[in-house]
Structures are given as structure tokens and as C-alpha cells.
Amino acid sequence: SLICKISYGQIDFLFTGDSDLQNQYYACQMEIEAEVVKVPHHGSANNLLDEFYESAKPQVAVISAGLDNSYGHPHSAVLDYLEESGVRIYRTDQNGAVQMWTDGNSLYCRPTNDKEEV
């Protein structure tokens, strides 16, 4: 799976698709620090690589997962790791669509009707 970093001003987004551990490990060898990370593979416990998140240093994580999905995504180990790291988590199974935008300096998120500055 492709890992893509998109930057605008001082704000970086890291899109990970269904990246496996090997792809995440290779990404750690590059500059992947980003304010926002789309969590790999819907938050699967099999794809949790501490070094990846330590390199990315995200403020916000977005987990794309269907409500009551049969895989149990996102896994509690992933959620616990992100929470313990102080990362704000948005989940599509709980928050619905998550809109984000930036002016290059500030990051704004809208998981509901209210705009939040991160």
C-alpha cells in the first residue's frame, strides 16, 4: 500500500492506506513527521508499529472503520497506544465523516457540526 505525505505550510498529513508493518518500517527511514495520521489498516492490532508513530509524532489520528465491523477494528491495543501517546483520535465508526482543513498554520477538524481547532 502507498504511504503519502501531503504538506501545506506547517501542517502535514500522512495517508497510510492499508500499509503493513514492512511499509511502516520503511517509512520510518524517511521524514514522516505529520500532525495528522490516517491510521493504517483500520486500526488493526497486526499493523501496530510503535516506531512508526514515534517517527510520525501525530497530534491527530483518523481511523476509518465501519460501525460494528466483523473484524473488530479498531483494536483496543491501537486505541490504547494512541491515547497513552496523547494523540486525539477521530473514528469514522463513531464520529462519522471527519473533515479537516488548514490555512497552513492551524489545523481544524469537524467530526460533527462544531469546528474545533487542534
Side-chain angles (χ1 to χ4, degrees):
S1 185
L2 181 68
I3 295 177
C4 179
K5 181 177 177 180
I6 298 175
S7 302
Y8 181 73
Q10 301 300 311
I11 305 298
D12 304 301
F13 298 83
L14 195 60
F15 297 95
T16 61
D18 281 339
S19 297
D20 60 14
L21 294 175
Q22 184 176 10
N23 285 351
Q24 291 174 54
Y25 175 76
Y26 287 136
C28 290
Q29 311 309 307
M30 300 173 214
E31 182 160 335
I32 62 168
E33 192 169 328
E35 284 71 25
V36 179
V37 170
K38 186 278 186 185
V39 174
H41 206 274
H42 315 286
S44 166
N46 296 332
N47 283 12
L48 177 58
L49 181 66
D50 295 358
E51 294 90 343
F52 177 77
Y53 293 101
E54 290 166 5
S55 294
K57 300 179 181 79
Q59 296 173 13
V60 176
V62 177
I63 302 173
S64 175
L67 184 63
D68 298 324
N69 65 82
S70 61
Y71 299 100
H73 295 147
H75 193 275
S76 60
V78 175
L79 295 171
D80 290 346
Y81 179 85
L82 292 170
E83 287 173 4
E84 290 170 8
S85 299
V87 178
R88 177 176 278 169
I89 302 168
Y90 293 102
R91 301 170 46 171
T92 61
D93 61 334
Q94 293 183 346
N95 303 115
V98 179
Q99 297 177 347
M100 294 190 179
W101 63 99
T102 182
D103 60 6
N105 294 308
S106 298
L107 175 66
Y108 301 93
C109 301
R110 185 186 302 173
T112 61
N113 292 332
D114 295 326
K115 180 171 85 171
E116 302 177 24
E117 183 175 358
V118 177

